Amino acid sequence: MEIFGNEISGSAYRKAVKTQKKFIRKFGDDRNTHYHLALKDNAVLTEPFGCKTIVTNQNTDKDTFTESLPENPIIIGNIRMGFGHYRISMAMASAAKALGYTPLWMDLNSFPETTCTKIISYQNDLYSMGSRLSQKFPLFNKLFWEPMNYEGFKKLSYNAGDQMTAQLMTPLFREIPKETPFIATHVWPSQAAIHAGMKNVVNAIPDNWPMALHLSEGAIHTVQTFNSYWGYRTLNGFDGDKILNPMGDGDIIWIGHYIDHELVSNIEKDCKARIERSQNGGPIRFLFTIGGAGAQGEFFAAIIKTLLPYVKQNKACIYLNCGDYENVWNMLQKMIPEFADGSVPVTKHFNDWASELEFANSAIEGLETESGSGVHAFCNKDIFGAVYITNLLMRASDILVTKPSELAFYPVPKLFIRRIGGHEMWGAIHSAELGDGTQECESPEYASALVKMIIEQPSLIEGMCNNIINEKKKGTYDGAYKAVKIAAGEIHGRNL
């Protein structure tokens, strides 16, 4: 077995085969099963993007999927593993719509009858558990979680195992025309598409730390930074100190950050509004995004407690997205007494997408003072609404408080809290070097100190906004458009 011309050891190959057999014993092997597909509207994504969701069709024994395809389709292949890969997929769908394509959403973790989804769900549960443990137990994080995320996933031998596992994910592709443009925002859909014979596959790599985990030989790999480009192109460190055969010129392309059309096209307008709010002494709007695992609840709670006196003075406003887990909100209420006893009123926007959408649009346009003051909590059982409300609220926010994951690349001023996994640190480093975000805050105390600085010196927001505007002029945030054009065959690497 070889990966980009680099031979995988016999022991690594045998381990990969063993892993595949383990999954077959545990979840079955449905590679001879014929799943019929259909398209379905999505309550959140269809209206803004014209996006359809690919589902299995239990009501037919015929292949009608090809006939149902819209004009200029482009498939966005993803998995739900946290919010990051969904968010990048939404950026691709938004860019596809803006460029005249119809995005089709294909989440390989949404077909519970398949071996594919069973494997992904199993591994997702393990990763979520590891994330939570890493935040609760520093020794576990230091000795296991950080090394695995930083070095373990970097090894070329790790990719061999994933490639064998991805062979079990191919049945869902049987009815899809092989020439259909396909953008994967996680490596497993990319690997599965390649093994299934898809011809025009873009593997949109997240993060800013090169790892063999993200390799999908046969696809065109895209990256958001030059740091990633050189690391992947040379496969540096993927097999210890060994100098490996590099990826080919056409195998990997730097294209810029994967950002929604709505965000990119409104950068100047939104930054102008942020600067005006900071100069006029209005409440500074802080957007908090807490993942479903709630792994950093105590970290977020400490920052929110720092902000509450400023909220009472109408110097700060809090938008708090708890995702699709109400237990996260319940956890924060226990950690923040002012939320529980009502001394700081909280306006809840739960499970009502229409009202959430109305609020976000009002906040963006500044139509109501209520949307720019106080504390507003969001939670939606619909995963699409849970993710997308953050994208909308980013336009209305002055500071995004987040770990340095996929959100590190978004064109909004950012305050980074402590990472989950060593690979995420490079997102914060990249953002700080661009000047659109802070350094990573290793402790709640340091993050709280930066919050006070930002409120007391709002010119810091203006500086980050000016840097965002300058980066837009360079094309830094055009990655989603370019990914769509590459998948559709409009442009090639040397034309970028």
Side-chain angles (χ1 to χ4, degrees), residues 99-167:
L99 294 172
Y101 295 90
T102 300
L104 307 179
W105 191 275
M106 188 179 188
D107 175 7
L108 295 192
N109 200 17
S110 67
F111 302 90
E113 69 272 33
T114 68
T115 298
C116 171
T117 291
K118 293 172 184 175
I119 291 172
I120 293 172
S121 295
Y122 170 75
Q123 296 190 104
N124 187 23
D125 289 344
L126 288 178
Y127 192 86
S128 294
M129 180 177 66
S131 294
R132 291 192 296 271
L133 291 175
S134 72
Q135 300 304 299
K136 292 181 179 179
F137 304 105
L139 194 61
F140 172 83
N141 185 60
K142 179 180 179 180
L143 297 180
F144 178 76
W145 193 247
E146 279 266 319
M148 185 183 74
N149 277 273
Y150 198 63
E151 295 295 343
F153 291 158
K154 193 176 183 70
K155 296 178 180 178
L156 205 60
S157 57
Y158 189 93
N159 184 259
D162 268 5
Q163 291 284 0
M164 294 295 294
T165 299
Q167 293 176 9

Side-chain angles (χ1 to χ4, degrees), residues 338-371:
E338 292 90 342
F339 285 176
D341 63 23
S343 59
V344 176
V346 178
T347 304
K348 294 169 63 176
H349 308 267
F350 283 22
N351 300 312
D352 187 343
W353 179 244
S355 67
E356 292 175 55
L357 188 60
E358 182 180 0
F359 176 89
N361 288 330
S362 173
I364 291 168
E365 299 300 332
L367 299 177
E368 298 181 15
T369 57
E370 290 81 2
S371 62

Side-chain angles (χ1 to χ4, degrees), residues 84 117 190 277 313 340 350 362 367 426 450:
T117 291
S190 178
R277 282 193 293 270
Q313 299 169 39
F350 283 22
S362 173
L367 299 177
W426 291 92
L450 291 190

Side-chain angles (χ1 to χ4, degrees), residues 315-433:
K315 293 182 178 180
C317 168
I318 294 175
Y319 301 145
L320 177 59
N321 185 15
C322 299
D324 57 345
Y325 287 93
E326 194 165 345
N327 65 293
V328 171
W329 167 246
N330 295 332
M331 173 188 69
L332 288 174
Q333 283 186 302
K334 293 178 181 178
M335 293 178 177
I336 305 172
E338 292 90 342
F339 285 176
D341 63 23
S343 59
V344 176
V346 178
T347 304
K348 294 169 63 176
H349 308 267
F350 283 22
N351 300 312
D352 187 343
W353 179 244
S355 67
E356 292 175 55
L357 188 60
E358 182 180 0
F359 176 89
N361 288 330
S362 173
I364 291 168
E365 299 300 332
L367 299 177
E368 298 181 15
T369 57
E370 290 81 2
S371 62
S373 62
V375 179
H376 299 267
F378 299 82
C379 183
N380 199 317
K381 292 179 181 178
D382 185 316
I383 177 61
F384 296 96
V387 175
Y388 194 51
I389 190 63
T390 291
N391 293 41
L392 294 174
L393 290 173
M394 270 192 277
R395 290 195 53 202
S397 302
D398 299 313
I399 295 289
L400 171 64
V401 183
T402 180
K403 68 187 182 75
S405 55
E406 85 288 345
L407 285 169
F409 300 90
Y410 277 72
V412 56
K414 295 169 288 286
L415 188 154
F416 292 115
I417 68 168
R418 186 177 59 221
R419 63 187 177 271
I420 298 180
H423 61 291
E424 291 184 343
M425 82 165 82
W426 291 92
I429 291 171
H430 176 68
S431 175
E433 289 179 339

